[in-house]
Amino acid sequence: MQQLSTRHLLGIKGLTESDIQLVFETADNFKEVLNRPIKKVPSLRDITIANVFFENSTRTKLSFELAEKRLSADVVNFASGSSSVKKGETLIDTVNNILAMKVDMVVMRHSSPGAPHFLSRHIRANIINAGDGTHEHPTQALLDAFSIRERLGDVAGKKVAIIGDILHSRVALSNIFCLQKLGAEVMVCGPLTLMPRHVAALGVKVEHDVFKALQWCDVANVLRIQMERQQIKYFPSLREYSLYYGINRRLLNRLNKEIVIMHPGPINRGVELNSDVADSENAIILQQVENGVAVRMAVLYLLASVK
């Protein structure tokens, strides 16, 4: 059996193109399993996985938990709000206590960039990064690219515009790395105040006019405004942001082609996306959610076989 070149999934930057293609091929098989009447396989029957989330999460946490249970793994859920972290316990002590209970794999979300990398140097279990601050969110990028491949046949040669709050988004960075490794062209679009200063150094096109970005792309991956990460005001109001960067049916009708609309969720309807776009034939948002389970099953299964 083919194996991943790494024993942790800390970010897309650490994966090769072959690793990504292996995840996709494995996810294809698991997607077929998910469409059966009995949606469970015994692949990880002897594996215990801890979901250690130091930040709020609905979609990612549910998706990982469902993926783990579909693979027959034993699952332990940890939420920092009701843990000894509130009493001053350190990250390493928390995780070591979990590992002392003989856990094989840790899925971790943390508000500090680099937290999963730090942990991987100090513990023996496989680590999966479920989002570290504004740094990376590798499984989201993998499921986004998998969804593009499913809808358009291939990622190579496609033009993908990432639109919205690029500055605070971990999804944007992981998507840029993943799409470039697979041969896609990437553009980032948003207000100047929500654009990282040296983003062009990543080899992406930079645009501030949303209509020009939509006219250029085959796929628009629309990001929400991350108000919870913003310490200062980056634009006058949500109404003004929506006026200049919100995507609605009227805007899409002005294009001379059909494009694919994506969103990692949660959607702020009426801000970055109107309902007439989010619920349209152009959107593959619910397919992304469905593919998320298959892709995470693939990642868990492949990492469990790497010692």
Side-chain angles (χ1 to χ4, degrees):
M1 191 189 87
Q2 280 184 281
Q3 282 197 333
L4 293 176
S5 63
T6 174
R7 60 184 303 268
H8 306 291
L9 180 58
L10 304 176
I12 296 295
K13 210 171 183 181
L15 296 181
T16 64
E17 188 195 342
S18 303
D19 288 332
I20 296 170
Q21 295 295 357
L22 178 58
V23 170
F24 288 176
E25 287 159 20
T26 311
D28 284 332
N29 295 327
F30 283 129
K31 188 148 188 202
E32 189 264 316
V33 168
L34 293 173
N35 288 316
R36 293 180 195 165
I38 297 170
K39 302 172 176 63
K40 205 164 186 176
V41 287
S43 309
L44 299 187
R45 194 169 47 199
D46 300 323
I47 301 289
T48 304
I49 303 170
N51 296 318
V52 182
F53 279 66
F54 292 88
E55 271 191 329
N56 292 337
S57 173
T58 304
R59 238 162 251 80
T60 304
K61 192 173 182 181
L62 277 175
S63 185
F64 265 113
E65 194 173 340
L66 197 54
E68 290 152 7
K69 288 179 176 177
R70 293 280 187 253
L71 291 166
S72 305
D74 294 320
V75 181
V76 181
N77 285 311
F78 167 94
S80 63
S82 56
S83 74
S84 295
V85 171
K86 289 285 184 189
K87 302 173 186 175
E89 188 172 65
T90 65
L91 172 62
I92 283 197
D93 284 339
T94 299
V95 177
N96 274 332
N97 275 292
I98 294 168
L99 293 179
M101 301 171 202
K102 305 303 177 206
V103 168
D104 304 293
M105 198 177 287
V106 176
V107 176
M108 189 172 88
R109 170 169 286 189
H110 203 282
S111 58
S112 299
H117 303 70
F118 171 75
L119 209 58
S120 70
R121 293 194 294 271
H122 291 85
I123 67 172
R124 292 183 62 185
N126 303 93
I127 308 287
I128 298 175
N129 179 5
D132 59 330
T134 56
H135 182 226
E136 277 217 55
H137 191 352
T139 56
Q140 182 67 48
L142 289 169
L143 75 89
D144 286 347
F146 182 83
S147 300
I148 293 170
R149 168 181 173 265
E150 184 180 69
R151 179 66 171 252
L152 300 179
D154 198 4
V155 180
K158 300 298 181 288
K159 295 178 176 178
V160 183
I162 303 171
I163 301 169
D165 184 358
I166 311 297
L167 183 64
H168 301 98
S169 175
R170 52 187 166 219
V171 173
L173 191 60
S174 285
N175 260 278
I176 289 167
F177 291 148
C178 188
L179 292 166
Q180 287 178 337
K181 282 177 191 278
L182 294 171
E185 287 184 69
V186 185
M187 173 186 281
V188 290
C189 174
L192 199 57
T193 52
L194 291 176
M195 201 65 70
R197 189 172 294 175
H198 302 294
V199 69
L202 293 173
V204 298
K205 296 177 188 295
V206 180
E207 180 57 70
H208 302 294
D209 183 323
V210 73
F211 182 71
K212 287 181 183 174
L214 294 174
Q215 193 76 270
W216 174 85
C217 73
D218 302 306
V219 179
N221 198 348
V222 187
L223 308 176
R224 72 182 176 89
I225 298 296
Q226 307 220 4
M227 303 301 287
E228 71 277 12
R229 298 190 194 281
Q230 297 182 13
Q231 308 300 320
I232 60 171
K233 236 175 162 31
Y234 288 90
F235 47 86
S237 67
L238 285 177
R239 184 174 174 276
E240 183 156 325
Y241 178 87
S242 179
L243 204 62
Y244 285 97
Y245 290 95
I247 298 173
N248 53 46
R249 174 48 59 187
R250 195 176 70 253
L251 195 60
L252 292 190
N253 287 343
R254 286 173 57 200
L255 302 176
N256 54 15
K257 59 178 182 176
E258 290 290 311
I259 64 168
V260 177
I261 300 290
M262 303 175 70
H263 196 300
I267 305 170
N268 289 324
R269 288 175 184 258
V271 181
E272 71 269 9
L273 270 187
N274 276 17
S275 290
D276 56 8
V277 175
D279 301 326
S280 70
E281 290 294 311
N282 300 72
I284 58 167
I285 298 165
L286 292 179
Q287 287 92 314
Q288 288 173 264
V289 177
E290 183 186 345
N291 290 336
V293 178
V295 166
R296 289 177 175 120
M297 284 174 77
V299 167
L300 291 160
Y301 173 73
L302 291 166
L303 284 177
S305 63
V306 182
K307 299 301 171 195

